[in-house]
Amino acid sequence: AEQNSVDLAWELLTEDNYSRLVATICPSGSELKRFRQLVVNSVMATDVMDKDLKEIRNGRWDRAFAEPLSSLSKSPRESVNRKATIVIEHLIQASDVAHTMQHWHIYRKWNER
C-alpha cells in the first residue's frame, strides 16, 4: 500500500502543473533523484510490519552513525545527508506509531475528519 501511494503521489508531482514546484525543490537531476529517494524511504518507514525493511533501516542507521566519517562517504556533506535521511525515516516511523498512543477522544477527533 505504501509503495502504491508513493507512486501515485510522484506521478502527480511530476505533472506539468507542478514543474515550477519541482524545479524549486530540486533544481538538478541529482537533487530530484535524492528527493525521490528521501520520499520513498520516508513513506516506506511507516510500514512497521515488514521485518526486512526494519533490518535494512537499522543497518543504514548503524552505517550512518557507527562508522568513522572517512569510511562512510566521499564527502562530509554526503555523510550528513545520509544521517539526516535515516533520522527523518525514524522520526516518521515514530510519529506514525505514536499517533495510536493518544488519548482515545483525541485519536477519534483526528481520525474522523
Side-chain angles (χ1 to χ4, degrees):
E2 287 86 357
Q3 185 63 50
N4 187 50
S5 298
V6 170
D7 290 342
L8 290 172
W10 195 260
E11 190 175 311
L12 286 172
L13 183 65
T14 56
E15 289 180 356
D16 288 342
N17 295 345
Y18 301 105
S19 61
R20 287 182 21 198
L21 174 63
V22 171
T24 301
I25 295 170
C26 313
S28 72
S30 63
E31 288 179 5
L32 181 63
K33 181 179 175 183
R34 179 79 179 116
F35 180 66
R36 176 158 172 79
Q37 180 183 20
L38 178 61
V39 169
V40 168
N41 289 349
S42 298
V43 172
M44 294 308 291
T46 64
D47 188 350
V48 296
M49 300 306 290
D50 189 322
K51 291 181 182 180
D52 293 333
L53 281 176
K54 182 182 182 331
E55 288 177 18
I56 291 168
R57 195 169 25 259
N58 288 346
R60 283 199 313 268
W61 179 277
D62 291 342
R63 283 190 305 280
F65 288 100
E67 297 180 8
L69 179 63
S70 60
S71 68
L72 282 177
S73 62
K74 300 172 187 169
S75 73
R77 181 178 180 154
E78 188 176 319
S79 178
V80 167
N81 287 344
R82 179 177 288 112
K83 289 177 181 180
T85 298
I86 195 64
V87 167
I88 289 169
E89 289 176 36
H90 278 80
L91 287 172
I92 288 176
Q93 185 179 41
S95 66
D96 186 52
V97 172
H99 87 280
T100 63
M101 305 301 172
Q102 300 171 37
H103 193 277
W104 179 246
H105 76 275
I106 302 237
Y107 176 82
R108 286 187 52 199
K109 175 181 174 183
W110 283 99
N111 285 283
E112 288 177 353
R113 292 181 177 196

Coordinates of all heavy atoms in Angstrom, one line a residue, residues 13-64:
L13 N 3.1 14.7 -8.8 CA 4.1 15.7 -8.7 C 4.9 16.0 -9.9 O 5.3 17.1 -10.2 CB 5.1 15.3 -7.5 CG 6.2 16.3 -7.2 CD1 5.6 17.6 -6.6 CD2 7.2 15.7 -6.2
T14 N 5.0 15.0 -10.8 CA 5.8 15.2 -12.0 C 5.0 15.7 -13.2 O 5.5 15.8 -14.3 CB 6.5 13.9 -12.4 OG1 5.6 12.8 -12.5 CG2 7.6 13.5 -11.3
E15 N 3.7 16.0 -12.9 CA 2.9 16.5 -14.0 C 3.3 18.0 -14.3 O 3.9 18.6 -13.4 CB 1.4 16.5 -13.6 CG 0.8 15.2 -13.6 CD -0.7 15.2 -13.2 OE1 -1.2 16.3 -12.8 OE2 -1.3 14.1 -13.2
D16 N 3.0 18.5 -15.5 CA 3.4 19.8 -15.9 C 2.9 20.9 -14.9 O 3.6 21.9 -14.7 CB 2.9 20.1 -17.3 CG 3.7 19.3 -18.3 OD1 4.8 18.8 -18.0 OD2 3.2 19.2 -19.5
N17 N 1.8 20.7 -14.3 CA 1.2 21.7 -13.4 C 2.2 22.0 -12.2 O 2.1 23.1 -11.7 CB -0.1 21.2 -12.8 CG -1.2 21.0 -13.8 OD1 -1.1 21.5 -14.9 ND2 -2.2 20.4 -13.4
Y18 N 3.0 21.0 -11.9 CA 3.9 21.2 -10.7 C 5.4 21.4 -11.1 O 6.2 21.3 -10.2 CB 3.7 20.0 -9.8 CG 2.3 19.8 -9.3 CD1 1.5 18.8 -9.8 CD2 1.8 20.7 -8.4 CE1 0.2 18.7 -9.4 CE2 0.5 20.6 -8.0 CZ -0.3 19.6 -8.5 OH -1.6 19.5 -8.1
S19 N 5.6 21.6 -12.3 CA 7.0 21.7 -12.8 C 7.8 22.8 -12.1 O 9.0 22.6 -11.7 CB 7.1 21.9 -14.3 OG 6.5 23.1 -14.7
R20 N 7.2 24.0 -11.8 CA 7.9 25.0 -11.1 C 8.2 24.6 -9.7 O 9.2 24.9 -9.1 CB 7.1 26.3 -11.1 CG 7.1 26.9 -12.5 CD 6.4 28.2 -12.7 NE 6.2 29.0 -11.5 CZ 5.3 30.0 -11.3 NH1 4.5 30.3 -12.4 NH2 5.1 30.6 -10.2
L21 N 7.2 23.9 -9.0 CA 7.5 23.5 -7.7 C 8.6 22.5 -7.6 O 9.5 22.6 -6.8 CB 6.2 22.8 -7.1 CG 6.3 22.1 -5.7 CD1 6.7 23.1 -4.7 CD2 5.1 21.4 -5.4
V22 N 8.6 21.5 -8.6 CA 9.7 20.5 -8.6 C 11.0 21.2 -8.9 O 12.0 20.9 -8.3 CB 9.4 19.5 -9.7 CG1 10.6 18.6 -9.9 CG2 8.2 18.6 -9.3
A23 N 11.1 22.2 -9.8 CA 12.3 22.9 -10.1 C 12.8 23.7 -8.9 O 14.0 23.8 -8.7 CB 12.1 23.8 -11.3
T24 N 11.9 24.1 -8.0 CA 12.3 24.9 -6.8 C 12.8 23.9 -5.8 O 13.9 24.2 -5.1 CB 11.1 25.6 -6.2 OG1 10.6 26.5 -7.2 CG2 11.5 26.4 -5.0
I25 N 12.2 22.8 -5.6 CA 12.6 21.8 -4.6 C 13.9 21.1 -5.1 O 14.9 20.9 -4.3 CB 11.6 20.7 -4.4 CG1 10.3 21.3 -3.8 CG2 12.1 19.6 -3.5 CD1 9.1 20.4 -3.8
C26 N 14.0 20.8 -6.4 CA 15.1 20.0 -6.9 C 15.6 20.7 -8.2 O 15.2 20.3 -9.3 CB 14.7 18.6 -7.2 SG 13.8 17.8 -5.9
P27 N 16.5 21.6 -8.1 CA 17.0 22.3 -9.3 C 17.8 21.4 -10.3 O 18.0 21.8 -11.4 CB 17.9 23.5 -8.8 CG 17.7 23.5 -7.3 CD 17.0 22.2 -6.9
S28 N 18.3 20.3 -9.8 CA 19.1 19.4 -10.7 C 18.5 18.0 -10.7 O 17.8 17.6 -9.8 CB 20.6 19.4 -10.2 OG 20.7 18.7 -9.0
G29 N 18.9 17.3 -11.7 CA 18.5 15.9 -11.8 C 19.0 15.0 -10.6 O 18.3 14.2 -10.1
S30 N 20.2 15.3 -10.1 CA 20.7 14.5 -9.0 C 19.9 14.9 -7.7 O 19.7 14.0 -6.9 CB 22.2 14.8 -8.7 OG 22.4 16.1 -8.4
E31 N 19.5 16.1 -7.5 CA 18.7 16.5 -6.4 C 17.3 15.9 -6.5 O 16.7 15.5 -5.5 CB 18.6 18.0 -6.2 CG 19.9 18.6 -5.8 CD 19.9 20.1 -5.6 OE1 18.8 20.7 -5.8 OE2 20.9 20.7 -5.4
L32 N 16.8 15.8 -7.7 CA 15.5 15.2 -7.9 C 15.5 13.7 -7.5 O 14.6 13.2 -6.8 CB 15.0 15.3 -9.3 CG 13.6 14.7 -9.6 CD1 12.5 15.4 -8.9 CD2 13.3 14.8 -11.1
K33 N 16.6 13.0 -7.9 CA 16.8 11.6 -7.6 C 16.9 11.5 -6.1 O 16.3 10.6 -5.5 CB 18.0 11.1 -8.3 CG 18.3 9.7 -8.0 CD 19.6 9.2 -8.7 CE 19.9 7.8 -8.4 NZ 21.2 7.3 -9.0
R34 N 17.7 12.3 -5.4 CA 17.8 12.3 -4.0 C 16.5 12.6 -3.2 O 16.2 11.9 -2.3 CB 18.9 13.3 -3.5 CG 19.1 13.4 -2.1 CD 20.0 12.2 -1.6 NE 20.3 12.4 -0.2 CZ 19.8 11.5 0.7 NH1 19.2 10.4 0.3 NH2 20.1 11.6 1.9
F35 N 15.7 13.5 -3.7 CA 14.5 13.9 -3.1 C 13.5 12.7 -3.2 O 12.8 12.3 -2.3 CB 13.9 15.1 -3.8 CG 12.5 15.5 -3.2 CD1 12.4 16.0 -1.9 CD2 11.4 15.4 -4.0 CE1 11.2 16.3 -1.4 CE2 10.1 15.8 -3.5 CZ 10.0 16.2 -2.2
R36 N 13.5 12.0 -4.4 CA 12.6 10.8 -4.6 C 13.0 9.7 -3.6 O 12.2 9.1 -3.0 CB 12.6 10.3 -6.0 CG 11.8 9.0 -6.1 CD 11.3 8.7 -7.5 NE 10.7 7.4 -7.7 CZ 9.5 7.1 -7.3 NH1 8.7 8.1 -6.8 NH2 9.0 5.9 -7.5
Q37 N 14.3 9.5 -3.4 CA 14.8 8.5 -2.5 C 14.3 8.8 -1.1 O 13.9 8.0 -0.4 CB 16.3 8.4 -2.6 CG 16.9 7.4 -1.6 CD 18.4 7.4 -1.7 OE1 19.0 8.4 -2.1 NE2 19.0 6.4 -1.2
L38 N 14.4 10.1 -0.7 CA 14.0 10.5 0.6 C 12.5 10.3 0.8 O 12.1 9.8 1.8 CB 14.3 12.0 0.9 CG 13.9 12.6 2.2 CD1 14.6 11.9 3.3 CD2 14.3 14.1 2.2
V39 N 11.7 10.7 -0.2 CA 10.3 10.5 -0.1 C 9.9 9.0 0.0 O 9.1 8.6 0.9 CB 9.5 11.1 -1.3 CG1 8.1 10.7 -1.4 CG2 9.7 12.6 -1.3
V40 N 10.5 8.2 -0.8 CA 10.2 6.7 -0.8 C 10.6 6.1 0.5 O 9.8 5.4 1.2 CB 10.9 6.0 -2.0 CG1 10.9 4.5 -1.8 CG2 10.3 6.4 -3.3
N41 N 11.8 6.4 1.0 CA 12.3 5.9 2.3 C 11.4 6.3 3.4 O 11.2 5.6 4.3 CB 13.8 6.2 2.5 CG 14.7 5.5 1.6 OD1 14.3 4.6 0.9 ND2 15.9 5.9 1.6
S42 N 11.0 7.6 3.4 CA 10.2 8.1 4.5 C 8.8 7.5 4.5 O 8.3 7.1 5.6 CB 10.0 9.6 4.3 OG 11.3 10.3 4.4
V43 N 8.2 7.3 3.4 CA 6.9 6.7 3.4 C 7.0 5.2 3.7 O 6.2 4.7 4.5 CB 6.2 6.9 2.0 CG1 4.9 6.1 1.9 CG2 5.9 8.4 1.8
M44 N 8.0 4.6 3.2 CA 8.2 3.1 3.5 C 8.5 2.9 5.0 O 8.3 1.8 5.5 CB 9.3 2.5 2.6 CG 8.9 2.5 1.1 SD 7.3 1.8 0.8 CE 7.6 0.1 1.1
A45 N 9.0 3.9 5.6 CA 9.3 3.8 7.1 C 8.0 3.6 7.9 O 8.1 3.1 9.0 CB 10.0 5.1 7.6
T46 N 6.9 3.9 7.3 CA 5.6 3.7 8.0 C 5.2 2.3 8.0 O 4.2 1.9 8.7 CB 4.5 4.6 7.4 OG1 4.2 4.2 6.1 CG2 4.9 6.1 7.5
D47 N 5.8 1.5 7.2 CA 5.5 0.0 7.1 C 6.3 -0.7 8.2 O 7.4 -1.2 8.0 CB 5.9 -0.5 5.8 CG 5.4 -2.0 5.6 OD1 4.9 -2.6 6.6 OD2 5.5 -2.5 4.4
V48 N 5.7 -0.7 9.4 CA 6.3 -1.3 10.6 C 6.2 -2.8 10.6 O 6.9 -3.4 11.5 CB 5.8 -0.7 11.9 CG1 6.2 0.8 12.0 CG2 4.4 -0.9 12.1
M49 N 5.4 -3.4 9.8 CA 5.2 -4.8 9.8 C 6.2 -5.6 9.0 O 6.4 -6.8 9.1 CB 3.8 -5.2 9.4 CG 2.7 -4.6 10.2 SD 2.9 -5.0 12.0 CE 2.5 -6.7 12.0
D50 N 6.9 -4.9 8.1 CA 7.9 -5.6 7.2 C 9.3 -5.7 7.9 O 10.0 -4.7 8.1 CB 8.0 -4.8 5.9 CG 8.8 -5.5 4.9 OD1 9.8 -6.2 5.2 OD2 8.5 -5.4 3.7
K51 N 9.6 -6.9 8.3 CA 10.8 -7.1 9.1 C 12.1 -6.9 8.2 O 13.1 -6.4 8.8 CB 10.9 -8.6 9.6 CG 9.9 -8.8 10.7 CD 9.9 -10.2 11.2 CE 8.8 -10.4 12.3 NZ 8.9 -11.8 12.8
D52 N 12.0 -7.2 6.9 CA 13.1 -6.9 6.1 C 13.4 -5.4 6.0 O 14.6 -5.0 6.1 CB 12.9 -7.5 4.7 CG 12.8 -9.0 4.7 OD1 13.4 -9.6 5.5 OD2 12.1 -9.5 3.8
L53 N 12.4 -4.6 5.8 CA 12.6 -3.1 5.8 C 13.2 -2.6 7.1 O 14.0 -1.7 7.1 CB 11.3 -2.4 5.5 CG 10.8 -2.4 4.0 CD1 9.5 -1.7 3.9 CD2 11.9 -1.7 3.1
K54 N 12.7 -3.2 8.2 CA 13.2 -2.8 9.5 C 14.7 -3.1 9.6 O 15.5 -2.2 10.1 CB 12.5 -3.4 10.6 CG 12.9 -3.0 12.0 CD 12.2 -3.8 13.1 CE 12.5 -3.4 14.5 NZ 13.9 -2.9 14.7
E55 N 15.1 -4.3 9.2 CA 16.5 -4.6 9.2 C 17.4 -3.7 8.3 O 18.5 -3.3 8.7 CB 16.7 -6.1 8.8 CG 16.2 -7.1 9.9 CD 16.3 -8.5 9.4 OE1 17.1 -8.8 8.5 OE2 15.7 -9.4 10.1
I56 N 16.9 -3.4 7.1 CA 17.6 -2.5 6.2 C 17.7 -1.1 6.8 O 18.8 -0.5 6.8 CB 16.8 -2.4 4.8 CG1 16.9 -3.8 4.1 CG2 17.3 -1.3 4.0 CD1 16.0 -3.9 2.9
R57 N 16.6 -0.6 7.4 CA 16.6 0.7 8.0 C 17.6 0.7 9.2 O 18.4 1.7 9.3 CB 15.2 1.1 8.5 CG 15.0 2.5 8.8 CD 13.6 2.9 9.0 NE 12.7 1.9 9.4 CZ 11.8 1.2 8.6 NH1 11.8 1.5 7.3 NH2 11.0 0.3 9.0
N58 N 17.6 -0.3 10.0 CA 18.5 -0.4 11.1 C 20.0 -0.5 10.7 O 20.9 0.1 11.3 CB 18.2 -1.5 12.1 CG 16.9 -1.3 12.9 OD1 16.4 -0.2 12.9 ND2 16.4 -2.3 13.4
G59 N 20.2 -1.2 9.6 CA 21.5 -1.3 9.0 C 22.0 0.1 8.5 O 23.2 0.4 8.7
R60 N 21.1 0.8 7.9 CA 21.5 2.2 7.4 C 21.8 3.1 8.6 O 22.7 3.9 8.5 CB 20.4 2.8 6.5 CG 20.4 2.2 5.2 CD 19.6 3.1 4.2 NE 18.3 3.6 4.6 CZ 17.2 2.9 4.4 NH1 17.2 1.8 3.7 NH2 16.1 3.5 4.8
W61 N 21.1 2.9 9.7 CA 21.3 3.7 10.9 C 22.8 3.4 11.4 O 23.5 4.3 11.7 CB 20.3 3.4 12.0 CG 20.6 4.2 13.3 CD1 21.4 3.8 14.3 CD2 20.0 5.4 13.7 NE1 21.4 4.8 15.3 CE2 20.5 5.8 14.9 CE3 19.1 6.3 13.1 CZ2 20.2 6.9 15.6 CZ3 18.7 7.4 13.7 CH2 19.3 7.7 15.0
D62 N 23.0 2.1 11.5 CA 24.3 1.7 12.0 C 25.5 2.2 11.1 O 26.5 2.7 11.6 CB 24.4 0.1 12.1 CG 23.5 -0.4 13.2 OD1 23.1 0.3 14.1 OD2 23.2 -1.6 13.1
R63 N 25.3 2.1 9.8 CA 26.3 2.6 8.9 C 26.5 4.1 9.0 O 27.6 4.6 9.0 CB 26.0 2.2 7.5 CG 26.3 0.7 7.2 CD 26.2 0.4 5.7 NE 25.0 0.8 5.0 CZ 23.9 0.1 5.1 NH1 23.8 -1.0 5.8 NH2 22.8 0.5 4.5
A64 N 25.4 4.8 9.2 CA 25.5 6.3 9.2 C 26.1 6.8 10.5 O 26.9 7.7 10.5 CB 24.1 6.9 9.1

